[in-house]
Amino acid sequence: MVLRNLFLAALPILLVLPGTSFARSWQGITPGQSNQADVVARFGEPSTKGKLEGRTALVYKGDQAIVGTRQAQFLVAEDGRVAEINVFPASQLEKDAVLGTFGKDPQKTFTDDFRTVWLYRGIGVVVFFGKDGVVEAIRFQSADRSAR
């Protein structure tokens, strides 16, 4: 009984403490948690390695494309952690598949060239659609804690 009361008293404090944001993993790699060594251990050496947006980019494409993708990019921050994963699916994914996978209530917006973008801030997923309405790319990043 005393332990239960202590837990109930501490619960409001635990809920407001800063903590790790919940990012959606892709193929066992979690933005904000996994590091560059985790990516290489899981998928081998990338086909291309360089800098993109000030971060190290590990790119798997062509013969080294990860199963189900045309290309996958892992952007690694200066601290060595994966900051973002960009996945370009090999097959056509329709909007219904996205809704069934990530949820039925995305924030809907668009790019500068008026392509549809769906944001799932609470899990750190951004889905980019082509002009034909089919998924062009999916970005996995650290979740926006305020969106939960």
Side-chain angles (χ1 to χ4, degrees):
M1 181 71 165
V2 172
L3 194 55
R4 180 177 180 271
N5 289 340
L6 184 60
F7 174 76
L8 290 174
L11 187 60
I13 295 167
L14 293 172
L15 291 175
V16 296
L17 284 175
T20 312
S21 58
F22 296 100
R24 181 80 175 243
S25 293
W26 184 76
Q27 297 283 329
I29 304 296
T30 306
Q33 294 177 10
S34 301
N35 60 39
Q36 182 171 331
D38 296 330
V39 174
V40 174
R42 175 118 173 104
F43 303 111
E45 289 297 324
S47 46
T48 306
K49 183 177 178 181
K51 289 286 186 182
L52 183 63
E53 300 173 0
R55 299 177 279 188
T56 300
L58 307 177
V59 180
Y60 294 83
K61 62 182 182 177
D63 291 340
Q64 289 178 277
I66 297 166
V67 175
T69 73
R70 289 180 287 117
Q71 183 178 133
Q73 304 168 349
F74 297 84
L75 302 182
V76 180
E78 288 183 17
D79 67 0
R81 290 186 190 172
V82 174
E84 181 178 304
I85 306 166
N86 295 306
V87 178
F88 301 86
S91 59
Q92 289 191 350
L93 298 176
E94 303 289 334
K95 290 180 179 181
D96 286 343
V98 173
L99 292 169
T101 301
F102 301 118
K104 298 199 182 297
D105 196 25
Q107 177 186 343
K108 297 177 182 177
T109 187
F110 53 90
T111 62
D112 291 341
D113 61 350
F114 303 104
R115 293 178 190 234
T116 301
V117 178
W118 288 0
L119 306 171
Y120 292 91
R121 293 184 190 276
I123 58 171
V125 173
V126 182
V127 182
F128 298 89
F129 293 90
K131 290 186 178 185
D132 57 1
V134 174
V135 174
E136 199 168 85
I138 303 170
R139 176 176 294 158
F140 298 82
Q141 58 195 13
S142 292
D144 180 353
R145 294 187 53 178
S146 65
R148 285 186 275 148

